[in-house]
Amino acid sequence: EYRDWARQLTFLLDDLISLGAFGPLARIFDALHQSSDGVIDGERKKINALVLDHFHSVDFAAKAVAAFHRPAAGVDHGEAIAFLERLGEAAVVEALETLGLDETFDPNGSLMHILARMAPQAVKEALERLRDPRPRYLCHMLSVIRFLGRGEDAEGAKNLLAHADMEVRMEALATMLNFNNPWAVLHLRELLAGPWSDAVQRAMQLAGSYKVREGVPALLGIVERAGPL
């Protein structure tokens, strides 16, 4: 019965992903797509469709991303990335969700390697997640936009400049300053002109990191208000 054949094949796929065998998985994936495009009998076509559905399922994408994020010994990085690209949006979504839960953001980590290969989709998905209530998750999504996005994507962070959490506010500001966004420059100057606070100290650091020339007068004003050392 074709469903039994398909079920056995999906078990094989799960075994291969647990071993980090991305190369063989890519070859199976390609072969199934090629068979689907050709002239095949009805039973085999049904098997192909069920196995491809398993490849594109959320559960399988999660297993694939996890196998690459915390790989077993001997996993080929190039083969893994090439296979995850085949999964497309499902892999991007799972990589973002996993990244959002990580304690720290690593711009050179395995998850960012996945997202960088599918940057337009990754940025689109990250922008759609900027209403999430979790501050750390938001900071990680903003970092994805900052590293992989373009100037027009910075506008998506604008509302977070007023977020209740300071880390989110500063991450949003950094993301916008990275693209020399005029609104972010104005917001930075307003921060620097205010009374001394942790936010002002962070704003000073950002002004230096992103070489915001428009912030120089406000920085000089802070020095003047501080008086002689």
Side-chain angles (χ1 to χ4, degrees):
E1 218 276 328
Y2 75 88
R3 290 186 182 277
D4 291 330
W5 278 103
R7 192 176 298 110
Q8 291 304 316
L9 283 171
T10 59
F11 291 157
L12 172 62
L13 299 183
D14 290 342
D15 288 341
L16 288 172
I17 204 65
S18 68
L19 295 171
F22 291 100
L25 282 165
R27 290 191 286 275
I28 294 170
F29 183 92
D30 291 344
L32 287 169
H33 273 284
Q34 289 166 8
S35 295
S36 295
D37 294 337
V39 179
I40 55 177
D41 63 77
E43 291 292 292
R44 188 174 172 190
K45 191 159 192 156
K46 290 175 183 177
I47 293 171
N48 274 24
L50 288 172
V51 178
L52 284 172
D53 284 346
H54 186 72
F55 262 122
H56 291 291
S57 68
V58 172
D59 182 61
F60 187 78
K63 290 176 182 176
V65 169
F68 182 62
H69 186 36
R70 297 179 178 86
V75 169
D76 185 288
H77 182 277
E79 288 184 347
I81 289 290
F83 175 70
L84 289 163
E85 280 189 276
R86 287 166 166 82
L87 300 186
E89 182 180 345
V92 168
V93 169
E94 288 303 321
L96 280 174
E97 290 303 311
T98 305
L99 181 69
L101 298 175
D102 276 358
E103 289 291 327
T104 58
F105 176 81
D106 182 2
N108 299 310
S110 59
L111 295 171
M112 280 298 285
H113 281 290
I114 298 170
L115 297 172
R117 291 290 287 267
M118 296 176 275
Q121 182 71 42
V123 172
K124 174 180 175 292
E125 294 288 342
L127 285 166
E128 291 175 359
R129 286 162 171 73
L130 292 186
R131 294 182 181 274
D132 193 274
R134 296 166 291 180
R136 186 176 64 204
Y137 184 96
L138 282 176
C139 287
H140 290 352
M141 294 303 107
L142 287 164
S143 295
V144 169
I145 296 165
R146 188 169 80 252
F147 278 92
L148 303 180
R150 297 178 295 179
E152 57 265 34
D153 300 318
E155 283 294 315
K158 187 175 176 181
N159 289 338
L160 294 178
L161 293 175
H163 196 275
D165 186 272
M166 189 181 77
E167 290 301 322
V168 174
R169 295 198 303 272
M170 291 298 111
E171 197 64 51
L173 184 57
T175 297
M176 296 178 74
L177 288 173
N178 183 63
F179 300 105
N180 197 31
N181 182 277
W183 184 267
V185 173
L186 176 63
H187 187 73
L188 179 75
R189 291 176 63 184
E190 290 174 349
L191 273 177
L192 293 174
W196 183 258
S197 65
D198 289 341
V200 172
Q201 184 177 8
R202 293 284 296 278
M204 289 176 64
Q205 294 169 350
L206 291 175
S209 296
Y210 292 100
K211 299 179 173 57
V212 183
R213 289 183 295 177
E214 296 88 342
V216 171
L219 289 169
L220 291 174
I222 291 174
V223 174
E224 291 172 1
R225 293 197 300 273
L229 299 177

